Amino acid sequence: MKVLLTGANGFVGRHLMSSLLDAGYSVTAAVRDPGGFRRQWPSIDVMDCDFMIDQHAAVWRARLAGFDVVVNCAGVLQRSPGVDPEAIHHLGPAALFDACRDLKLRKVIQISAISAREGVETEYAQTKCRGDAHLMALDLDWVILKPSLLYAKGSYGGTSLIRALSALPLAIPLPGSGDQAFQPLHLDDLGRSLVKLLEDPAAGKQVLEPAGPETLSLKDILLQYRRWLGIRGGLCIPVPLWLVRAVCRMGDLLGIGALRTTSLEQILEGNCGDNQGFEEAIGFRPRSLAEALQNDPSDVQDRWHAQLYFFAVLATFALSATWILSGVIGLWVLPDVGEQVAGRIGLTGAAALAAALGACLMDILVGAWVALRRAPGLCALVQVTIILGYTLVLGIAIPELWGDPFGSLIKNLPMLALIPIWAVLAKSK
């Protein structure tokens, strides 16, 4: 069968694509950035699609010719500039599903979420619900999968946050008591399930809740990951939920990975499903978390990622604050120190004042750019260029700065080391 897989460049989509290809299916990936996808997977067919725009069935009917199956994996945790969960979870998929009905495709499989149910008030859950409801109302051979916590050898979003929490050096903070329940499912088992459902002609018009064979608390999961990473200790410290919510609100404002209000609410709403019904439908027992971790031991890359996860936030704050404070302090002392420094490099009068003012404003703008984390590679290049320029000009014009006991120029060396590390971390997801 020929399969169209939407959201194929996401964490779940990439693993399901691999499972489909291993099973011999012809897969076309429907993604928002086909150029970036081709760079990573040049041998896989790719289609340009964007649920923010493609919200009419006629658009999809033209694209679906020749396909037998559609698997929709597209999803976003929460709203952000240029990203609307209503479009990505409901309006865009609804148009795609209508086109599938019009063309009488063999099967449509929707990857939803365990929290997509009435009573869960997050925008993520409610928009997923509307997309699911639209599909269920159509005369199609459809299957909706609502998985619990999905994990793999790699990580993304919530699983990255779990690993990072488990790897903290002194103790593991728990939201509340840490007794929130999960049924973790390995993505390879979800992929194997997907293939079995595609091969079963009787598997239609049903909602399944893919879940692992055991129920674990968040505390249990964190401790298992800590042991898997090979990190000593395991002291857990309960953190009041009001404080966790405050930190997550800060994460909303700063855009800090999975440390968001939506993530917390998804955890608190419950993540357990009907694993027995799921196992009956797929005909096998998924692996437990302990079995999967034992069969796929951690490597140094796993420990690096877990231990550097929060460092990415710290590095962003440190660099941004350094640039902004440098500019603000420079403006404060501009009439005296700024013009004196400019004079030492051969500028006087209005030119000296303009150069000092320009340098201060440039520092502030660079600090804001770092905080936004837009185009981090280019931002890092600009930072390195400016620091090298400052060091070269001031080091030649005012050589005594090299002997400054406060390290006026020497401090540029760790900055030059930190900036490329920050750029790598800022680009990681």
Side-chain angles (χ1 to χ4, degrees), residues 114 145-151 182-186 189-190 193 208-215 271-279 282 284-288:
I114 193 74
L145 300 178
K146 296 185 172 186
S148 182
L149 176 69
L150 294 171
Y151 67 98
F182 295 83
Q183 291 172 290
L185 180 71
H186 198 287
D189 287 327
L190 182 64
S193 305
L208 298 173
E209 296 177 335
E214 59 183 351
T215 300
N271 289 269
C272 292
D274 179 13
N275 63 311
Q276 291 186 347
F278 173 61
E279 289 182 20
I282 61 176
F284 71 92
R285 177 185 179 276
R287 291 170 294 171
S288 68

Side-chain angles (χ1 to χ4, degrees), residues 147-214:
S148 182
L149 176 69
L150 294 171
Y151 67 98
K153 180 60 162 65
S155 66
Y156 181 84
T159 50
S160 290
L161 179 59
I162 285 173
R163 291 190 188 193
L165 290 170
S166 74
L168 287 172
L170 299 178
I172 302 173
L174 300 175
S177 61
D179 62 354
Q180 298 83 8
F182 295 83
Q183 291 172 290
L185 180 71
H186 198 287
L187 270 167
D188 288 348
D189 287 327
L190 182 64
R192 182 181 171 193
S193 305
L194 175 64
V195 171
K196 284 190 170 289
L197 292 169
L198 288 177
E199 293 172 348
D200 183 0
K205 289 186 170 58
Q206 60 180 323
V207 178
L208 298 173
E209 296 177 335
E214 59 183 351

Side-chain angles (χ1 to χ4, degrees), residues 319 322-323 362-363 366 380-394 409 411-417 419:
L319 280 176
T322 298
W323 284 104
M362 180 173 61
D363 285 359
V366 170
L381 178 61
V382 169
Q383 292 179 78
V384 169
T385 301
I386 292 173
I387 290 175
L388 288 175
Y390 281 163
T391 304
L392 180 63
V393 172
L394 295 176
L409 293 182
K411 288 177 181 175
N412 286 345
L413 296 178
M415 285 283 288
L416 290 172
I419 289 168

Side-chain angles (χ1 to χ4, degrees), residues 6 8 20 41-42 64 69 79 81 90 96 144 155 160 164 167 169 192 206 230 253 276 298 364 374 379 391 405:
T6 64
L20 290 168
W41 293 285
L64 289 175
V69 172
R79 184 179 298 273
H90 176 209
L96 171 61
I144 296 175
S155 66
S160 290
R192 182 181 171 193
Q206 60 180 323
L253 293 173
Q276 291 186 347
S298 66
I364 294 172
R374 298 287 188 267
C379 183
T391 304

